[in-house]
Amino acid sequence: MRTVRRGDRGPAVTEIRGILTTLQLLPTDGGPVEFGWLVTEPVIDFDEAVERAVRAFQQSRGLSVDGEVGAETWRALDGARWHLGSRALYQAIPDPLVGDDVRQLQERLLEMGYDVGRTDGVYGARTARAVAMFQREVGIAPDGACGPHTLNALRRLGRKVIGGRPQLLRETDLFRQSGPGLVGKTIVIDPGHGGPDLGVVVPEGRLRWTESDIAYDLAARLEGRLAAAGMRVHLTRGPTPTAELSQQDRAVLANELGADLLISIHLDGYANPAADGVATYHYGTGSGVTSTAGERLAGLVQREIVARTGLRNCQIHAKTWEVLRLTRMPAVRVDVGYLTSPTDRAKLIDPHFRERVVESIVAAVQRMYFPVEQDVPTGSIDVSTIRAITSMPVPAAP
Ligand SMILES: [Zn+2]
């Protein structure tokens, strides 16, 4: 189509104005205007307001901003009419379906951990493949097309994971809206292993150190500190559970509680006793899909523990483990040192050291709720004051 620009009028301009109005970039057109006895139709042309709206639209879509509607801008405007559910989507060849509904579908699939490549709003082969994988998982014939059944399944399932790069802003907003206080927020602490599953076991003389006991001790201390700060804290297991709890059971529990955060606590173990240090894990795949809030929490936990305990920094890593993948809230797992390392073990069996680990995690949780621009240096929060930070001063009665 030919480029439509300032000063033009006609059906193309009417259509462009209509779309911009629907997108709320342009105020609604007025009805007929009455001048005494003369009733005129409003003038529909490409005026200054339309040009401004086109510029705003181009900016929001990452197009070159010239205020004119050429082929590229027209395709984007045309695609912006569609919302997920307003038409059936499928892989059309050779002219693929393009639109905001396709982009919404791609973002949704990406959030759920499917590889859609770029969320470009084009229903190509990769999108069709991701839809087919989703369909197979929910028991729908995997035709790679997104019709009413698939849409219902997408709606019903909600978000399996929070995250994905496109969600960064939304997640940040969510945390900002929830305020800096910890009061009333729900956190699930997941001590690893338990029951018959002892995790890493290291005999030492007549003693026997187990990962499951130390992880539980850390979790119970953390529970006390976070509850004192006003959080609702749930542990996934007690000190001596009779049965093993699967990763999936732990994730389901956290989802059912509607937790805001989940922290899973483990220790590491390795054949070579020289291996030592702390590592923290968040949800993510090798292809760049990641839980942004999870990654942030992992970074905070990792940095606070390294700064406050001196354990070797084994960095943060993206993993698709079930407890990270199936949880709907930002979730991390921290492996607090190697039980098989004599250096780490000597620290871990000292209750004062474990208290420092717990303080590190409390500081990380608090920083998770600070707006990014108000964040504080690692190691600087005195966690004994957290109660004061979280409660707003109450004005005295007159
Ligand atoms: Zn473990």
Side-chain angles (χ1 to χ4, degrees):
M1 77 178 256
R2 77 177 177 84
T3 298
V4 183
R5 56 173 67 86
R6 181 114 171 238
D8 287 343
R9 50 175 63 196
V13 175
T14 311
E15 202 164 354
I16 290 165
R17 289 184 69 124
I19 298 170
L20 292 169
T21 307
T22 316
L23 295 173
Q24 296 182 321
L25 292 170
L26 202 63
T28 319
D29 283 327
V33 182
E34 227 177 301
F35 295 107
W37 49 271
L38 179 70
V39 178
T40 65
E41 286 298 312
V43 180
I44 305 292
D45 62 7
F46 201 121
D47 57 16
E48 197 192 332
V50 174
E51 194 183 68
R52 250 198 324 271
V54 169
R55 284 174 179 280
F57 176 77
Q58 288 170 325
Q59 200 156 29
S60 73
R61 301 301 160 114
L63 301 166
S64 44
V65 180
D66 57 8
E68 299 181 356
V69 181
E72 197 187 14
T73 300
W74 172 248
R75 268 200 304 279
L77 275 169
D78 193 40
R81 299 178 215 241
W82 300 107
H83 289 283
L84 191 55
S86 58
R87 61 174 173 172
L89 294 171
Y90 54 94
Q91 189 189 357
I93 297 168
D95 291 318
L97 295 180
V98 179
D100 282 16
D101 49 351
V102 179
R103 191 197 311 274
Q104 285 157 18
L105 172 67
Q106 290 170 327
E107 285 185 7
R108 194 67 182 274
L109 289 166
L110 186 64
E111 282 171 11
M112 298 174 94
Y114 295 94
D115 181 11
V116 292
R118 281 181 51 215
T119 53
D120 54 6
V122 181
Y123 205 104
R126 206 152 165 189
T127 304
R129 228 173 13 244
V131 169
M133 273 176 67
F134 169 76
Q135 290 172 319
R136 207 167 288 130
E137 273 192 30
V138 296
I140 299 174
D143 61 2
C146 186
H149 287 306
T150 307
L151 272 171
N152 276 340
L154 277 167
R155 284 201 194 99
R156 206 175 51 236
L157 277 177
R159 302 207 298 169
K160 262 205 241 169
V161 295
I162 298 216
R165 295 280 176 197
Q167 267 52 59
L168 176 61
L169 288 174
R170 221 171 300 162
E171 282 185 3
T172 310
D173 273 356
L174 216 67
F175 272 97
R176 204 164 284 159
Q177 281 162 20
S178 70
L182 299 180
V183 177
K185 299 205 170 94
T186 302
I187 185 165
V188 168
I189 310 291
D190 172 42
H193 312 278
D197 171 14
L198 302 173
V200 180
V201 180
V202 177
E204 194 168 50
R206 288 168 49 223
L207 296 171
R208 189 183 65 157
W209 304 110
T210 71
E211 178 188 358
S212 69
D213 283 349
I214 296 176
Y216 181 80
D217 176 87
L218 285 165
R221 289 171 191 271
L222 193 52
E223 178 186 29
R225 299 301 287 267
L226 291 171
M231 287 188 100
R232 279 195 284 264
V233 192
H234 296 268
L235 264 52
T236 53
R237 68 168 176 91
T240 52
T242 47
E244 281 181 31
L245 206 60
S246 74
Q247 297 277 305
Q248 192 180 358
D249 294 337
R250 297 168 199 249
V252 166
L253 177 71
N255 289 344
E256 281 172 356
L257 288 166
D260 297 296
L261 296 174
L262 174 138
I263 297 178
S264 185
I265 297 175
H266 285 249
L267 305 181
D268 220 330
Y270 193 63
N272 182 344
D276 66 347
V278 52
T280 310
Y281 305 90
H282 61 91
Y283 176 75
T285 68
S287 58
V289 175
T290 186
S291 160
T292 42
E295 190 176 342
R296 176 163 154 73
L297 180 59
L300 291 170
V301 168
Q302 179 71 14
R303 291 200 299 276
E304 288 286 347
I305 291 180
V306 169
R308 290 171 191 255
T309 67
L311 283 173
R312 183 194 304 279
N313 187 352
C314 298
Q315 311 295 338
I316 69 169
H317 305 274
K319 294 284 176 189
T320 55
W321 295 331
E322 279 183 328
V323 74
L324 305 177
R325 178 164 55 85
L326 302 178
T327 37
R328 295 198 195 104
M329 71 293 313
V332 301
R333 169 176 146 177
V334 53
D335 281 28
V336 194
Y338 281 71
L339 198 52
T340 45
S341 147
T343 349
D344 281 5
R345 187 167 64 248
K347 294 174 178 166
L348 284 162
I349 62 179
D350 172 5
H352 295 105
F353 178 86
R354 294 203 293 273
E355 205 52 48
R356 284 212 297 284
V357 171
V358 165
E359 287 177 355
S360 313
I361 298 176
V362 172
V365 169
Q366 176 64 76
R367 284 175 70 189
M368 194 64 189
Y369 286 100
F370 281 156
V372 174
E373 62 274 15
Q374 279 174 30
D375 198 13
V376 296
T378 298
S380 70
I381 295 181
D382 175 1
V383 296
S384 65
T385 66
I386 276 184
R387 201 189 245 297
I389 294 171
T390 55
S391 50
M392 298 297 284
V394 179

